[in-house]
Each structure stands twice: as C-alpha cells, then as structure tokens.
Amino acid sequence: MTNKTTRIVILATAGWLLLGAAPAAANDKPIAMLKKSNRDIRRLLKKKTKPGSQQEKQLRTDIKDIVNGFLDYAELARRSLGRHWKEISQAQQEEFVTVLRDLIEANYVKQIRSNVDYEMVYKGEDIDGLTAVVRSIIKAKRKGRSTDIPIDYKLYTADGGAWQV
C-alpha cells in the first residue's frame, strides 16, 4: 500500500470520527453513551483557553481521554485495511495502529475545536446482541454554510465490557 493510500484511509477514518463516546458499561445503551460523550466534549470545547497555555494542553488531554476510552484503534485499523491487514507484517500492523491513533488524536481536537457550531441529532439505534449501530447526523455550520453529515457508529462489546466503536 502506498503512503498516499494509507494517508487517505487514515484521514477518512479520522473524519468519520467527528464525535465520540465515553466508556460505559455494556448494559448502558450505546445511544445514551454517545449522547453523554457529546455533552462532555461540547462542555470541554466551550472552555476558553489561551493558545499554548497549560489549560489548553489539559483540554486536549481531556478530549483525547474521552476518545481513547471508546475507540478500539486496533480493530479500526484492521477494518480500515480490510484484506490488506493480513498482507502486512505484525510490525507494520503495530506501526499502522500507532500512526492511526496519533493522527486521530491530533486531528480530532483540531477538527472539532475549529467547528464548535454543530448540532448532533441521534436518529436511533439497532442493538443485536454484542453489536450495535447508532445512526446520527451532525448539522454543522462552517463559513456561513450549513451541511448535514450522516454518521453511523458501529459498536461492539466483548465479555460484558464497555461499548467500543
């Protein structure tokens, strides 16, 4: 796979993750978890911080903690590469997971921070045993233009643990 293809996969995945979820028990509904996370992230983003300040660094850390608490980077990397995952070595797989995590962390805060003017609309959820899909739409305004961004979160839970995207 070329660097350009890898970059496209990573950027597409990062874009898909505009909003996330905090860890929750498996008996919590996935949609409730996503709503709570969205509220938590919006609360953090409304905080006014001075660029480069300790408060801004803490804000970034807090947002990363939320994202890292719900996102299964290894599974996301495996699914992003599809059949190519088995074609690369374990060292390449580990490197891809690390690069994917670093890129998502770096872009997640930047993307959301630059577009605080959004509304998250939850359309519903379908739970099938240990898997679920939460359908949502982000209604965002950027540079005076409105856009709707549909996002279907695919979640799973293993061994009664927290829901993971």
Side-chain angles (χ1 to χ4, degrees), residues 47-81:
K47 291 183 177 182
K48 302 295 181 203
T49 59
K50 188 175 184 176
S53 69
Q54 186 59 36
Q55 292 82 9
E56 183 186 49
K57 290 176 185 173
Q58 184 60 50
L59 178 69
R60 289 177 180 271
T61 298
D62 292 346
I63 291 173
K64 286 179 186 180
D65 287 347
I66 293 172
V67 174
N68 292 338
F70 78 88
L71 187 59
D72 183 342
Y73 291 105
E75 185 67 13
L76 181 60
R78 186 183 67 77
R79 289 180 184 232
S80 294
L81 292 181

Side-chain angles (χ1 to χ4, degrees), residues 125-137:
E125 68 183 349
D126 296 313
I127 301 172
D128 184 13
L130 298 177
T131 63
V133 175
V134 174
R135 295 173 312 283
S136 66
I137 297 174

